[in-house]
Amino acid sequence: MNTQELKHLAERLMAEDKGLLAMDESTGTCNKRFKALGIPQTEEYRRKYRQLIVTTPHLEESISGAILFEETLHQQTDDGQSFLAILKQKDIIPGIKVDQGTTPLAFFPGETITEGLDRLTDRMISYHQMGLRFAKWRAVIHIETDLPTKTCITANAFTLARYAAICQEAGIVPIVEPEVLMDGAHSLQTCAAVTQDVLKEVFSALYEHKVSLEGMILKPNMVLPGLNCPDQNSTEVIAQQTISSFLKVVPAAVGGIAFLSGGQSPMLASERLNMMQLRYGSQIPWPLTFSFSRAIQQPAMEIWKGDDQNITAAQQALAHRAACNSAARRGEYLPAS
Ligand code: 5MM
């Protein structure tokens, strides 16, 4: 493992004013989003959609890296350019989602474990040869009565750490994504407690597995009340609780923190990141940015709807949300824009 090279890569991914674009929806997730908008759920339409994204003008001004799904790696534009080549021309670092999704955790109803460690070393070596320089693995934690269990948290922390070590051995920066879901009626305080418990276990496992913290990026949820919680807290409180939670449990050496949006509206996700930068930007030890999927892509997908005539307008919407999040990273986002 070349720790200096990994650190340098993490620094490039966390470059000032920029963030990450998650465009790594698995086929099932992408098709679900297409179905809701009446877009045909075929490989060709997924290719057209990803072509729209990678050819968006000015995307590189706000985006330092793009997380891809396996299917996209081998796809090309209508005129035969590979998506990977287009991203590299724009100086957007290509990354890859390497987990293979979640499956029920045996004996723990309602909880899941993420799969994908089998032959991961070989896959990493070939991804590196293709020019991919970072990867992503998502673990999912549900909050319900009596959930999450310690067993679920520990099992997911272990697999995240195994994945991260395998990445670094192959010269790939791991994005470590333990997502505490927003689903449910739990309070902000519950989300804060669970998020801290999860991150404590994750960093303990990363330490045990000798993962270089400088050469990794954490992709966490913001600390939020559940979607059905009657008390929806203000942006100020969410920013304060999120930052104070991370200050307790995320080591200062970590290469960066890049939030997932998790189902927040695009505007709220930008507003909350903006507030964190505005109030706490000078006090936090890590670069703090975004790694959104829905909160960047959703408006563009809704405009596109699978129709070529809508490509330009959809690309403008995509570039706009990316620019809004870049502004939020600087603490300069204008709410409701
Ligand atoms: C939580 O999902 C990740 C971030 O996306 P949001 O900003 O929309 O929350 C996202 O990268 C996710 O991991 C990928 O879309 C892959 O998800 P699936 O469910 O397809 O494996």
Side-chain angles (χ1 to χ4, degrees), residues 22 24 26 29 97 136 138 177 179 219 261-262 293-294:
D24 61 325
S26 53
T29 303
K97 162 194 162 77
K136 196 206 82 175
R138 172 172 171 252
E177 180 180 3
E179 178 181 12
K219 176 165 172 168
S261 57
S293 159
R294 284 163 287 182

Side-chain angles (χ1 to χ4, degrees), residues 146-162:
D146 300 329
L147 299 189
T149 62
K150 174 91 166 101
T151 308
C152 175
I153 294 174
T154 311
N156 276 291
F158 173 83
T159 51
L160 277 166
R162 283 270 298 122

